[in-house]
Amino acid sequence: MNLKTVKIGNLHTKNNVFLAPLAGYTNAPFRQLCFNNGAGLTFTEMVSAKGLCYKSEKTENLLAVTQGYSGILACQIFGNSPDFMREACQSAALAPFQLIDINMGCPMPKIYKNGEGSALLGEIKLAEKIISECKKSGKLISVKFRIGIDETSLITAEFAKMCEGAGADLITVHGRTRDKIYAGEVNFKEISAAKNAVKIPVIANGGVFCRADAETLLNQTGADGIAVARGALYNPWIFAEITGAQTADKKQDVKNQLYLTREMFGERFACVFMRKMIAFYLKGQKNSTAVRLRLMQCKTTAEVEDILNELAFII
């Protein structure tokens, strides 16, 4: 793996292996876990620009950061109104964040049907306006997008050039079309086309579940780095595997995640969230089905921790 720093405006990342934004998952304790294990840059889950403009407490809670986090603070926002998007970038809630990523790739029907996320692939002029308005905030801006809505409308190079021209400082390209959601092969050729079309850094995304996947994605696309999404949900230690960073005690890592999640978001959220996360981490392990069933019956974080204490946790 060709590890290097990535220059984004005046920022320099720790390395070129990033944690992609994941709605419902990349909260502050999970980002801290991934950063501790070698992730060069981590993003919040996607946050509604309108929610920020209307000062929604629920929306602003998604922006929580662990105390003493030492990485670049990067947030992802979504929306289809240039004015709301610019206002969100200028909001007090985003003041601590050094990099704002614009979501133009989310394939989920609720987002797509609302004209947001990957729907903007079919509205290139509107997408351009959104980026240029966000850039007026004075923030560093990145854009995450897919290679097209479907195989008949591959627009990766054109969209990449538009992003650069509108002022984007970095782009991340998910190598699947919107209609594929997360299924099918990653289109290396299209990501490579984006890399060849622009001078700003290009990050490749899609299908990374181990070091070999990361190396293949980087080598086949010529990208400046890679972003890990679902692979990190099942194995946040994948960043240590890819970068060669020292891996701490995995069980203690998960305990720390549990404690931080409870401290920041409360007992109820921590119990439900960590039941789900530990079930992810156990996927593929021997006798994990029975453990996952027990986890889902836990009513308190203390019960979750009791199960953690029993686990050998070999991943």
Side-chain angles (χ1 to χ4, degrees), residues 195-262:
K195 173 59 185 171
N196 292 331
V198 298
K199 293 184 173 62
I200 58 175
V202 175
I203 305 301
N205 173 228
V208 176
F209 291 90
C210 64
R211 181 187 175 96
D213 292 338
E215 291 177 340
T216 298
L217 183 60
L218 197 65
N219 293 337
Q220 291 292 322
T221 63
D224 298 286
I226 59 114
V228 185
R230 291 173 299 141
L233 289 184
Y234 296 105
N235 180 15
W237 301 278
I238 190 173
F239 296 101
E241 178 189 339
I242 295 171
T243 66
Q246 185 173 358
T247 304
D249 180 270
K250 291 178 180 178
K251 184 184 293 188
Q252 190 59 51
D253 268 353
V254 182
K255 283 187 178 183
N256 290 342
Q257 184 188 8
L258 173 67
Y259 303 151
L260 265 176
T261 304
R262 182 173 59 199

Side-chain angles (χ1 to χ4, degrees), residues 78-152:
F78 73 97
N80 60 7
S81 163
D83 291 338
F84 274 121
M85 294 288 277
R86 184 191 68 248
E87 185 180 340
C89 289
Q90 295 171 332
S91 67
L94 293 191
F97 289 86
Q98 299 154 284
L99 175 65
I100 309 298
D101 186 68
I102 303 172
N103 184 309
M104 294 188 177
C106 180
M108 294 297 104
K110 181 179 178 181
I111 299 295
Y112 182 78
K113 290 177 182 178
N114 203 38
E116 300 166 327
S118 59
L120 291 166
L121 295 170
E123 298 285 348
I124 196 164
K125 289 297 182 184
L126 175 58
E128 182 177 32
K129 180 68 172 174
I130 288 170
I131 298 167
S132 63
E133 286 299 308
C134 288
K135 191 64 179 177
K136 289 178 183 177
S137 69
K139 294 281 190 179
L140 292 172
I141 301 296
S142 62
V143 183
K144 188 170 188 286
F145 65 92
R146 287 181 172 240
I147 60 176
I149 292 175
D150 56 40
E151 292 293 332
T152 68

Side-chain angles (χ1 to χ4, degrees), residues 151-293:
E151 292 293 332
T152 68
S153 59
L154 300 180
I155 58 167
T156 321
E158 177 188 359
F159 206 85
K161 288 179 185 177
M162 177 278 292
C163 290
E164 182 178 49
D169 299 283
L170 172 140
I171 57 173
T172 300
V173 184
H174 183 121
R176 295 185 180 93
T177 51
R178 182 265 161 184
D179 62 329
K180 296 288 180 57
I181 310 295
Y182 298 109
E185 297 296 319
V186 172
N187 190 322
F188 301 138
K189 183 179 177 181
E190 284 296 309
I191 300 176
S192 181
K195 173 59 185 171
N196 292 331
V198 298
K199 293 184 173 62
I200 58 175
V202 175
I203 305 301
N205 173 228
V208 176
F209 291 90
C210 64
R211 181 187 175 96
D213 292 338
E215 291 177 340
T216 298
L217 183 60
L218 197 65
N219 293 337
Q220 291 292 322
T221 63
D224 298 286
I226 59 114
V228 185
R230 291 173 299 141
L233 289 184
Y234 296 105
N235 180 15
W237 301 278
I238 190 173
F239 296 101
E241 178 189 339
I242 295 171
T243 66
Q246 185 173 358
T247 304
D249 180 270
K250 291 178 180 178
K251 184 184 293 188
Q252 190 59 51
D253 268 353
V254 182
K255 283 187 178 183
N256 290 342
Q257 184 188 8
L258 173 67
Y259 303 151
L260 265 176
T261 304
R262 182 173 59 199
E263 177 185 330
M264 298 183 75
F265 303 112
E267 169 71 19
R268 177 178 170 78
F269 177 89
C271 180
V272 174
F273 183 77
M274 290 305 298
R275 288 186 324 202
K276 181 168 54 177
M277 296 309 296
I278 296 169
F280 281 145
Y281 302 159
L282 291 173
K283 185 177 175 63
Q285 289 199 41
K286 188 177 180 180
N287 300 322
S288 62
T289 300
V291 178
R292 290 201 298 271
L293 288 173

